[in-house]
Amino acid sequence: MKAKLTGSATGAMILFAASGMLASVLGLRQFDKLTTEPAWIVSSNLQSGQVITSGLLKQVRIDLDNLVGTIQNPRRLMGQTLKVNKSAGSTISPSDLKVKEKKSLSHAIPPGRVLYTLEHIQKGMPYEQLSDGDRFDVVVRARNGVRTVARDVQLIGINHPAARKADNSGLKNMLMPKGKQAGNQPGLSLVVAVRPSDVYPLTSIRASDAVAMIFHSAHDMAKGTQYSIDPKQRFRNVEMVAGVHRTRVQVIN
């Protein structure tokens, strides 16, 4: 004689089966969390020499054993160049990347220039807004008048007491920290590329002299035009003859 299941018994069996399946799913998820970790892998096949961008990476969970020795900080991968081929789904290790060549400070000097440290600098200048490559003229006001000591000086960096070696380029880190009080730091100096003929005039600047830096527009330099700051000639030379004597004097216009 076959026994018929009541509605409550059928519901209990369905609930038991569902709870068993749910427990299995939760168990698998828990096991997966214990044996895997989120990891960054390449999303497609990559060739040697290819530059890594955010679109070439994706995050998935992989076995813990496959994470050993891999780079899992995406910031360290951005902009790096591969030196080996990578297949889709593989991780990236430091040995897969090209090592950037460390360059000395002399490589930052443009041709025909020498490096000079300008210590006596203008006060009140927003140095935190300056950038490598800015060009300016140096004008000095001393007791005997105003003179231009250097023209078309190129900024290489800003040297401050907390300067340290940069990790990426190997160059001395001379960039100003982005702080409001950066321009008031004691010992602040500019590292600039100057023409060799400007070295001695720059060295003649005294601590008591007032130094002004006249910056040129990047738009004018891009057009090949750079305005001269030299004053207009306000005098003319007049030659005076008295008998056999001849002299030349300057007459103000």
Side-chain angles (χ1 to χ4, degrees), residues 32-84:
D32 184 64
K33 288 183 178 181
L34 292 175
T35 58
T36 63
E37 281 287 339
W40 290 96
I41 62 173
V42 296
S43 57
S44 59
N45 295 331
L46 303 181
Q47 301 295 323
S48 175
Q50 195 164 351
V51 178
I52 300 174
T53 62
S54 58
L56 301 177
L57 300 174
K58 67 178 181 179
Q59 193 175 37
V60 297
R61 298 190 71 91
I62 64 174
D63 293 338
L64 293 174
D65 296 338
N66 296 331
L67 279 176
V68 179
T70 63
I71 300 176
Q72 291 304 316
N73 184 353
R75 292 184 179 180
R76 291 182 55 192
L77 295 173
M78 295 299 103
Q80 298 290 339
T81 304
L82 289 171
K83 67 177 183 180
V84 295

Side-chain angles (χ1 to χ4, degrees), residues 5-206:
L5 297 176
T6 62
S8 59
T10 303
M13 292 182 64
I14 294 175
L15 180 61
F16 177 78
S19 61
M21 293 177 61
L22 181 60
S24 299
V25 171
L26 293 176
L28 289 174
R29 288 185 177 179
Q30 186 66 23
F31 178 79
D32 184 64
K33 288 183 178 181
L34 292 175
T35 58
T36 63
E37 281 287 339
W40 290 96
I41 62 173
V42 296
S43 57
S44 59
N45 295 331
L46 303 181
Q47 301 295 323
S48 175
Q50 195 164 351
V51 178
I52 300 174
T53 62
S54 58
L56 301 177
L57 300 174
K58 67 178 181 179
Q59 193 175 37
V60 297
R61 298 190 71 91
I62 64 174
D63 293 338
L64 293 174
D65 296 338
N66 296 331
L67 279 176
V68 179
T70 63
I71 300 176
Q72 291 304 316
N73 184 353
R75 292 184 179 180
R76 291 182 55 192
L77 295 173
M78 295 299 103
Q80 298 290 339
T81 304
L82 289 171
K83 67 177 183 180
V84 295
N85 297 333
K86 300 297 293 185
S87 58
S90 59
T91 56
I92 299 176
S93 61
S95 60
D96 298 331
L97 304 175
K98 288 185 178 180
V99 179
K100 290 185 178 180
E101 181 184 357
K102 292 185 178 181
K103 296 182 179 180
S104 63
L105 184 58
S106 60
H107 286 82
I109 306 174
R113 304 270 179 147
V114 295
L115 203 66
Y116 184 84
T117 302
L118 185 61
E119 297 180 348
H120 306 296
I121 58 178
Q122 179 179 349
K123 296 181 179 179
M125 177 70 67
Y127 293 103
E128 66 275 6
Q129 297 182 15
L130 300 183
S131 180
D132 297 356
D134 284 343
R135 294 177 181 268
F136 58 94
D137 299 334
V138 180
V139 178
V140 173
R141 186 180 75 248
R143 296 180 60 183
N144 57 348
V146 179
R147 69 186 190 277
T148 302
V149 296
R151 294 177 175 83
D152 194 27
V153 176
Q154 182 175 342
L155 180 65
I156 299 298
I158 301 178
N159 195 11
H160 55 90
R164 294 180 179 178
K165 190 174 182 180
D167 294 332
N168 294 332
S169 62
L171 297 177
K172 188 176 182 182
N173 182 16
M174 297 173 296
L175 297 181
M176 173 66 62
K178 303 296 182 181
K180 294 182 179 180
Q181 303 299 325
N184 298 325
Q185 287 191 2
L188 190 69
S189 59
L190 301 183
V191 180
V192 295
V194 301
R195 296 185 177 92
S197 58
D198 291 333
V199 172
Y200 274 88
L202 286 169
T203 308
S204 67
I205 300 176
R206 300 179 180 179

